[in-house]
Amino acid sequence: MDVVVTGIGLVSALGTLDDGWKRLLSGKSGIRHHQPFLEMEPLPLALVGTKPADLITLIRQVLADALQDANLTLPLPDCGIAIGSSRGFQANLELLASEGSSATDCVTDVTDGRKTEVERSLREFGRGKSQKAREFPITDSDFPIPNSQLPITNCQFVNFLPHMGAIAAARAIGSTGPVLAPMAACATGLQSIARAVDLIRTGECQRAIAGAVEAPITPLTLAGFSRMGALANNGCYPFDENREGFVIGEGGALFVLESAELARRRGAKIYGRVSGFGLTNDACHANAPELGGESAIAAVNQCLKRSNLAAIDIDFIHAHGTATELNDRHEALLIEKLFHPGIAVSSTKGATGHTLGASGALGVAFCLMSIKYQMLPPCVGMKKPGFELDFVRCARSAIVRNAVCLSFGFGGQNAAIVLSGNR
């Protein structure tokens, strides 16, 4: 069964889908030096706004944009949900631990937001439910907190469990279908899309909303990656000879996936097909790839096999390309080994920053835009290539029938997905 993409909602430091795509093609970057926390030195970051974003706010925005793009109206009771986030509500939890109940002041409901037609529908539908059904009626006495010094009232932390972003999206669209919330480090976005494709192909639903969103700019996240030596001091330069690490970014992308039959029946526009995917795990190291790359190679081969394609059929690779020493070397070797010389390669993290679990979702969106416009996005930030590959230095036109998006995450998570033009 063919599974097609009929709607895209995206937000990153470059902007929303169309504006971000134009800025990407022109070689712009959304990375700037910021100091979001006074106790920390300024760092290059890729913020959507002027200060760190809230996860629910980002989910609300891309969900509304995806539904509007797909020309869908609410409710969607049988729609599946597969929305992941590797960081989830970590920002809220850090604030909750340090400031208590005031942490919830910054949280907005997924049904609030901008006054577009779709978002009004989201808001009105969400408010149509009884207030009782929308609360967690558990008192302090029902759920005592062992550490009385942590000033958490009621069960506020339940609102910040990792899967609550996906649940909020389901509530907003009125879905009582399956809800999945994958977490697979930087491979989260591709895993979420893969799981949604499975939901459709197995007949559990004919339509699903899938992707990943991250609001990862928190003191703990920045301090942790800084202590690891993974963060750049100046900027993000994927596959560059003088790359210095990644730049954390926020944002995400959600997709409306449908069976091709349903999409054609309702006359929906189609960006392309999810031809196949491959998912493996190194079972080797927490934050370094397997030296031989066998599991990563297996993921790509699995993806090609399920897509009924050979490596020679791939026209463009959207690489993970984090600009770290290990990842870029590992990924370049994999590409050299599996694909034909001269295949176009790009990483867009020099423009959007590394959105962690959402990075694969952004990559899929850019692959679909490449197929739609027959244009290849540049490897923004590259000055001197560090590897003998055909990197896209400037945006260029090309025949793009099949594109591969790659993601590699901590814990040895490997993911590959093929996007193809509509049949």
Side-chain angles (χ1 to χ4, degrees):
M1 176 191 293
D2 281 350
V3 176
V4 299
V5 180
T6 59
I8 303 174
L10 178 147
V11 66
S12 75
L14 285 180
T16 52
L17 180 65
D18 291 327
D19 289 342
W21 176 248
K22 291 174 184 174
R23 293 190 69 201
L24 178 60
L25 291 184
S26 63
K28 304 293 184 184
S29 175
I31 295 171
R32 303 287 185 273
H33 271 77
H34 295 274
Q35 189 179 16
F37 311 107
L38 294 179
E39 65 272 23
M40 305 182 76
E41 295 294 321
L43 277 171
L45 297 169
L47 300 182
V48 169
T50 58
K51 61 183 180 179
D54 171 67
L55 180 65
I56 288 294
T57 300
L58 295 180
I59 291 176
R60 181 190 67 221
Q61 178 178 345
V62 292
L63 175 62
D65 289 348
L67 293 173
Q68 190 171 50
D69 191 35
N71 196 28
L72 291 173
T73 56
L74 302 181
L76 299 171
D78 300 320
C79 185
I81 299 286
I83 298 176
S85 180
S86 72
R87 282 292 175 275
F89 293 95
Q90 182 175 315
N92 304 97
L93 289 169
E94 288 183 39
L95 193 59
L96 192 63
S98 64
E99 299 183 13
S101 61
S102 63
T104 59
D105 295 343
C106 66
V107 181
T108 57
D109 192 281
V110 75
T111 57
D112 292 335
R114 298 172 296 147
K115 298 182 186 298
T116 64
E117 181 180 350
V118 172
E119 290 203 325
R120 275 198 301 273
S121 298
L122 286 174
R123 186 170 62 254
E124 289 165 4
F125 181 78
R127 287 178 176 167
K129 300 194 175 213
S130 69
Q131 186 66 20
K132 183 177 179 181
R134 292 169 60 81
E135 294 176 347
F136 295 93
I138 305 175
T139 64
D140 286 332
S141 58
D142 293 328
F143 198 93
I145 304 297
N147 181 1
S148 60
Q149 294 181 341
L150 194 62
I152 302 175
T153 61
N154 297 321
C155 264
Q156 293 166 355
F157 83 95
V158 174
N159 291 315
F160 304 140
L161 292 176
H163 69 298
M164 293 306 285
I167 292 292
R171 289 171 54 202
I173 68 170
S175 172
T176 54
V179 176
L180 307 178
M183 296 183 77
C186 300
T188 297
L190 296 194
Q191 283 224 12
S192 298
I193 295 168
R195 295 285 74 90
V197 170
D198 280 341
L199 289 177
I200 295 171
R201 286 182 174 167
T202 58
E204 291 189 63
C205 51
Q206 284 195 298
R207 177 185 293 126
I209 294 172
V213 183
E214 294 280 14
I217 299 179
T218 77
L220 181 59
T221 298
L222 294 178
F225 283 130
S226 179
R227 288 291 295 272
M228 287 176 59
L231 297 183
N233 294 318
N234 300 296
C236 183
Y237 318 121
F239 297 107
D240 194 272
E241 188 175 275
N242 299 310
R243 62 193 182 278
E244 54 182 61
F246 63 78
V247 169
I248 296 180
E250 56 189 16
L254 294 181
F255 306 88
V256 176
L257 304 181
E258 303 183 59
S259 67
E261 179 185 357
L262 175 61
R264 293 187 182 112
R265 193 163 64 236
R266 70 181 189 90
K269 74 170 184 289
I270 295 175
Y271 283 96
R273 291 178 289 120
V274 180
S275 294
F277 57 83
L279 307 170
T280 64
N281 175 50
D282 291 350
C284 179
H285 199 279
N287 60 353
E290 178 191 21
L291 291 179
E294 292 182 8
S295 294
I297 289 170
V300 176
N301 285 333
Q302 187 184 101
C303 175
L304 292 172
K305 183 177 181 180
R306 288 176 175 170
S307 303
N308 293 315
L309 295 170
I312 193 69
D313 298 317
I314 303 301
D315 304 303
F316 170 56
I317 297 174
H318 186 285
H320 191 51
T322 61
T324 62
E325 183 64 31
L326 271 178
N327 176 87
D328 289 12
R329 184 170 71 246
H330 166 77
E331 193 170 12
L333 289 172
L334 179 148
I335 292 171
E336 289 174 353
K337 183 169 184 175
L338 291 180
F339 294 94
H340 59 89
I343 188 168
V345 178
S346 185
S347 166
T348 54
K349 288 182 177 62
T352 65
H354 189 356
T355 54
L356 306 181
S359 61
L362 292 181
V364 166
F366 294 141
C367 285
L368 290 167
M369 294 296 273
S370 293
I371 291 169
K372 178 179 179 178
Y373 293 107
Q374 298 291 284
M375 290 290 295
L376 301 179
C379 199
V380 176
M382 176 176 282
K383 299 170 184 175
K384 185 178 181 181
F387 306 93
E388 295 296 325
L389 295 172
D390 182 17
F391 294 110
V392 182
R393 305 290 299 277
C394 297
R396 66 185 192 231
S397 61
I399 297 174
V400 187
R401 294 155 297 196
N402 302 296
V404 167
C405 182
L406 302 176
S407 287
F408 304 103
F410 281 172
Q413 298 278 9
N414 308 300
I417 195 166
V418 170
L419 293 310
S420 302
N422 192 29
R423 295 185 195 274

